[in-house]
Amino acid sequence: AKENGRGTYRFYRTALTDAANTRLALEAKLRRGLEREEMVLHFQPLIGIGDRKLVGVEALLRWQDPTDGLVPPDRFIPLAEETGLIVPLGDWVLTTACRQLKAWRDDGIMIDMMAVNLSPRQFQLPDIAERIRDVLAETGLPPHCLEIEITESALMEQAEATLTKLAALKALGIRLAIDDFGTGYSSLAYLKRFPIDKLKVDKSFIADIPSNLADMEITAAIIGLAQNLNLEVLAEGVETTAQLDFLRGKGCDTAQGYLFARPSSAEDLIRTLVEGRAA
Ligand code: C2E
Ligand code: CA
Ligand code: CA
Ligand code: CA
């Protein structure tokens, strides 16, 4: 039994060490990747449901790893969040996204809005409003052209402190959206008091429309809630015309998803926009 116990201990210790080493290696690699400018932004159109017009784009982070290729954010953002690397990474995303939209607008490509994801840890920074103000000043992007997306769960964690923080952000003149709406636990009392502009219905509710009646009810309820609170509402993950027809019927303002466009590089986005206009 003693032998057995020691063997078991050794097994667990090895497994833990391996996991820790993998994590450390990935962290070092990510840090290096940021320094070596291996990060890239892709952009996905946000579309008006009524007129199919482009209302803006969302910046989505990718890591162009020299050995692994294009790494999606779900594979490294959680680690960046845990280690605090999300702070420099998030600053890079904000600056790069704002600079890109400013450059497009200076070239006559009048996209109205750039949406940028803010991680919970960034949102908690005491000076986040100053950081965003500095990025706007540095890039020259008008504040109303920037929309910050914060997840529902990040906002509801400390709702009173959130209220103050959101007010400071709103005072910059930027737009605020609640991301992944419906997956957290919103207090309606707070939702009413938050100075937000938009709810983004989480794509998990859209995926099984029109076969899942419960998802259709929830989506319709969120759209109704947004309308009653005078907020814009966007449906994420729209892949089919059946989903689009349902959303239009419920009065949803805007949508985002593969039905319209996948996230793409800046060059590919502009190429399709220009071709679309010419056609
Ligand atoms: P999100 O903010 O909810 O972004 C939407 C995700 O849905 C994106 O995944 C997008 O590619 C994907 N998507 C868009 N249309 C469709 C569709 O029709 N069907 C399906 N199945 N998916 C669709 P992506 O780019 O892999 O990003 C995943 C998550 O990573 C994002 O979810 C966001 O939470 C996070 N993320 C991405 N970029 C950043 C960033 O710059 N900063 C932070 N903090 N998080 C980011
Ligand atoms: Ca988002
Ligand atoms: Ca989302
Ligand atoms: Ca998400």
Side-chain angles (χ1 to χ4, degrees), residues 32 39 55 64 70 76 118 124 164 204 208 210 226 233 277:
R32 222 166 35 234
M39 300 298 151
V55 298
Q64 185 66 61
L70 209 59
F76 63 91
L118 203 69
Q124 281 160 16
T164 319
S204 61
D208 296 327
V233 58
R277 206 166 291 163

Side-chain angles (χ1 to χ4, degrees), residues 96-116:
T96 308
C98 290
R99 189 175 288 146
Q100 179 66 79
L101 183 55
K102 178 67 164 69
W104 281 331
R105 292 171 64 85
D106 287 349
D107 280 351
I109 300 165
M110 297 315 272
I111 296 173
D112 289 332
M113 182 189 83
M114 176 65 71
V116 176

